[in-house]
């Protein structure tokens, strides 16, 4: 497995509370991504990063923010969690273009918002 | 225009049979088409990928067929095995820019013994 860890792996929280998910890589890859996976929707991109402090929105970014202060860490924050954000969250990384965009995924975080 | 449409949503195949999953896209700027395999409780993993300068790519029992004029590509799994039971996602991207992938909604494959 590519050196990607996600923490926590499981979390149950209540509506309105802030939540931060962490993605850590040991591959020194430039690109990092946050996806959510929901039945019937596949994988949808939330935010991505193309370098330290360089981030941009994906398809479903509303209600989420991200930060990347170091190459190895990419944080996803739900400022005020809602039940619609109950999902499995995956972090992914990819290297330079020579790898033809292969993305390596982490093990996922299952988040439940009550 | 950014969508990738995948079908079927689920597929049941007998051991030894051929599994076929199809994807279609609209954005003619896409030039990289990977397939990802995901087992329950795990993250997706790259299975096989193709670029539009070839019409077919084969790796073991897995083959991608690509039809550029129809803007379609498909995954064929020959001699399907119970261990192939997983969810498969097609995806597409352009080589330039932010390296973003657009994923299909997935196909749950069940291979019966």
């Amino acid at each position: 497995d590519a050196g990607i860890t996600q923490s926590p792996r499981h979390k149950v929280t209540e509506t309105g509370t802030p939540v931060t998910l962490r993605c850590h890589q040991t591959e020194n890859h430039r690109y990092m991504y946050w996806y959510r996976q929901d039945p019937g929707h596949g994988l949808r991109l939330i935010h991505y990063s193309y370098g330290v402090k360089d981030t941009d929105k994906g398809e479903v970014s509303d209600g989420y923010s991200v930060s990347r202060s170091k190459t190895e860490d990419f944080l996803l924050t739900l400022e005020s969690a809602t039940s619609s954000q109950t999902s499995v969250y995956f972090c992914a990384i990819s290297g330079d273009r020579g790898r033809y965009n292969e993305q390596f995924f982490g093990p996922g975080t299952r988040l439940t918002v009550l | 225009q950014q969508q990738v449409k995948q079908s079927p949503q689920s597929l049941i195949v007998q051991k030894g049979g051929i599994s076929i999953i199809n994807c279609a896209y609209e954005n003619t700027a896409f030039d990289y088409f990977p397939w990802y395999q995901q087992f329950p409780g795990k993250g997706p993993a790259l299975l096989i990928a193709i670029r539009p300068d070839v019409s077919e790519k084969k790796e073991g029992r897995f083959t991608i067929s690509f039809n550029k004029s129809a803007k379609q590509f498909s995954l064929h799994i020959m001699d399907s095995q119970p261990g192939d039971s997983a969810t498969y996602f097609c995806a597409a991207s352009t080589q330039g820019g932010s390296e973003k992938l657009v994923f299909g909604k997935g196909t749950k494959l069940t291979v019966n013994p």
Side-chain angles (χ1 to χ4, degrees):
Chain A
D1 290 345
I4 309 170
T5 57
Q6 293 185 232
S7 58
R9 295 293 314 280
H10 301 271
K11 185 171 183 66
V12 180
T13 191
E14 294 188 349
T15 297
T17 60
V19 176
T20 295
L21 308 183
R22 181 183 183 231
C23 177
H24 179 78
Q25 61 146 329
T26 58
E27 305 295 324
N28 200 35
H29 279 354
R30 176 183 177 187
Y31 299 96
M32 298 186 75
Y33 312 82
W34 276 108
Y35 292 91
R36 61 177 290 173
Q37 184 173 33
D38 305 288
H41 290 278
L43 290 152
R44 293 182 291 175
L45 183 65
I46 304 171
H47 281 280
Y48 65 98
S49 170
Y50 45 96
V52 174
K53 298 185 180 179
D54 291 324
T55 65
D56 206 347
K57 296 179 179 179
E59 178 187 357
V60 289
S61 60
D62 288 348
Y64 302 94
S65 62
V66 290
S67 65
R68 191 172 178 196
S69 58
K70 299 184 290 184
T71 298
E72 58 265 37
D73 289 326
F74 192 33
L75 303 180
L76 177 71
T77 298
L78 292 65
E79 299 291 346
S80 177
T82 68
S83 58
S84 65
Q85 293 176 313
T86 292
S87 187
V88 179
Y89 291 85
F90 286 100
C91 173
I93 64 174
S94 67
D96 294 332
R97 292 174 185 174
R99 297 295 296 275
Y100 295 126
N101 294 16
E102 179 176 358
Q103 292 189 14
F104 301 92
F105 283 79
T109 293
R110 183 173 294 276
L111 176 67
T112 302
V113 183
L114 302 177
Chain B
Q1 187 154 7
Q2 282 295 101
Q3 285 185 328
V4 176
K5 295 183 179 180
Q6 183 172 348
S7 63
Q9 188 173 1
S10 63
L11 180 62
I12 299 175
V13 174
Q14 292 300 117
K15 179 181 176 181
I18 302 174
S19 305
I20 302 174
I21 304 170
N22 301 298
C23 285
Y25 63 96
E26 290 295 325
N27 186 352
T28 55
F30 287 148
D31 59 2
Y32 173 70
F33 302 91
W35 285 88
Y36 281 77
Q37 179 188 55
Q38 184 181 29
F39 293 105
K42 303 291 186 182
L46 180 67
L47 182 64
I48 185 173
I50 196 168
R51 300 192 71 193
D53 50 349
V54 296
S55 60
E56 185 175 283
K57 182 174 182 179
K58 183 176 182 179
E59 291 185 1
R61 295 183 294 108
F62 301 90
T63 299
I64 299 178
S65 298
F66 183 79
N67 186 330
K68 188 173 182 178
S69 60
K71 292 184 286 187
Q72 296 176 347
F73 59 108
S74 60
L75 176 68
H76 296 238
I77 305 175
M78 311 300 288
D79 187 25
S80 298
Q81 299 297 313
D84 297 330
S85 297
T87 299
Y88 293 81
F89 295 93
C90 63
S93 76
T94 58
Q95 287 295 306
S98 59
E99 323 291 340
K100 291 186 293 183
L101 285 172
V102 178
F103 284 87
K105 294 186 177 182
T107 297
K108 184 176 182 180
L109 172 65
T110 302
V111 181
N112 288 328

